[in-house]
Amino acid sequence: MEQATDRVKRGLAEMLKGGVIMDVVNAEQAKIAEDAGAVAVMALERVPADIRKDGGVARMSAPEMIDEIIAAVSIPVMAKARIGHFVEAQILQAIGVDYVDESEVLTPADEENHIDKWQFTTPFVCGARNLGEALRRIGEGAAMIRTKGEAGTGNVVEAVRHMRQITSDIRALSTMSPEELMRAARDLQAPFDLVQEVAKNGKLPVVNFAAGGLATPADAALMMQLGCDGVFVGSGIFKSGDPALRAKAIVEATTFYQDPAIVAKVSRNLGEPMVGIEIDTLSETERFDKRGW
Amino acid sequence: MIGVLALQGDVREHESMLQGLGVSTRQVRMSKDLDGLDGLIIPGGESTTIGRLATLYGLIDPLRDAIAAGLPTYGTCAGLILLADRLSEGTQPLLGALDVAVRRNAFGNQNDSFEADLDVAGLHEPFHAVFIRAPWIESFGDGVEVLATWDGHPVMVRQGHILATAFHPELTKDERIHHLFITMTKES
């Protein structure tokens, strides 16, 4: 019997495909998310919109809060650790979360190095803006990728940009001859063996979800039509007027993303969406997606 | 033509395995998608999510009726849970097609997920089985044939035209269990 193999770690992400992973800050929200049809919940101290508003250092959630969430739901529980903060990740593994998100939404603990994720039995998901970044994270042991987007803004534009970039980078690789791949690896700043693998298969070796700024059922269906395997929704649900209703609508839009009549139906009478932020109004230091490399 | 219930989960892996065995596939999201199928696979995924969507989109009764009418059906992991008649703990929509009681997340959380060689009745060589937050079968009725166990718990069963595994053959390259299911669709 073998545990914590690539197949077992990546396999859980395969099971989450076509689903919605929702940010929650307590057991009550986790239950609402599960009842709405979430495939997993992401435990964090504050949703990204509040991290933006309140400022200060954003850290891993308190272990007792994560314990309560694990006890409250039967679906997988993920939790965020700061970039490079391998001790927060060790704690999350000891608590027994199902996935660790090494996340730019929290304040980075190391501006040079990400966590060596091969050292863990718990699988990791990491954000990426382009193929090179995705492959660097996979090279460090990430078993799932998500777009970085721009969390806490309710603005999907960065998630779209990142997904289109990853898709376009993969398409470019898959047209290259073998002798062009080393140069591509140099330009992407990505491990050569992973570049070869992506060029051969025409896809990432792990599941890729959309994240960062999704707020409506239409946003979820958009990201699915752009080729994402599933979606994360953070502030978009619990910062809206009617979280339970919006959560259900986003789940349905993610499953039936190819059916505009259903996406239209579930988009009706949802109440107020979260108030969005124009990305151009953020200063460089307010941009979460610039954290990590 | 074999359908794969495509509300959520690892639909693509089942489809590519079936297609590799020369079988055409159809994604099933609505009850009309069940028409004319020779078999149905309920994939791995989150059983609560799949069950909720199946209820909401009026699929529970058409699925029950089709399976009761003899549609060969194979469930993996979440698919086993949905096919079951009862759960050891908790409540969620079930199809009640398989006379078993299932325990969800029976092995523990993701850190307890594993892969291992499993002896399967009818297969000459062990099957390399991938268990991810997997369920096991806690008890079963007379009509259920246990094809494999792990640590004393049934993890693969057959009841007439219904096949179920707690593990994920679709995450491996081993086609033998899908081949067995395709054979079942031709028997009926």
Side-chain angles (χ1 to χ4, degrees), chain A residues 260-282:
Chain A
I262 291 182
V263 181
K265 185 191 78 178
V266 302
S267 297
R268 289 198 177 98
N269 304 315
L270 287 182
E272 284 297 306
M274 72 176 282
V275 178
I277 299 175
E278 187 67 49
I279 304 289
D280 294 343
T281 65
L282 296 174

Side-chain angles (χ1 to χ4, degrees), chain A residues 18-19 219-231 253-255 257:
Chain A
D219 289 347
L222 171 68
M223 297 312 299
M224 293 299 288
Q225 288 200 27
L226 286 173
C228 291
D229 292 312
V231 302
T254 302
T255 288
Y257 69 93

Side-chain angles (χ1 to χ4, degrees), chain B residues 73-126:
Chain B
T73 303
Y74 171 34
T76 57
C77 195
L80 159 64
I81 296 167
L82 287 158
L83 284 169
D85 178 61
R86 50 206 180 271
L87 292 179
S88 308
E89 272 178 38
T91 53
Q92 64 188 73
L94 300 175
L95 295 171
L98 199 54
D99 186 12
V100 300
V102 168
R103 178 172 294 278
R104 289 186 57 202
N105 304 332
F107 295 92
N109 65 27
Q110 174 63 14
N111 290 331
D112 303 302
S113 294
F114 64 99
E115 46 187 301
D117 288 331
L118 192 68
D119 290 321
V120 173
L123 299 183
H124 297 299
E125 303 289 328

Side-chain angles (χ1 to χ4, degrees), chain A residues 71-94:
Chain A
V73 297
S74 66
I75 56 178
V77 175
M78 303 183 170
K80 288 187 193 287
R82 284 180 264 178
I83 289 175
H85 206 314
F86 52 86
V87 173
E88 283 188 349
Q90 289 166 2
I91 292 170
L92 293 174
Q93 175 167 294

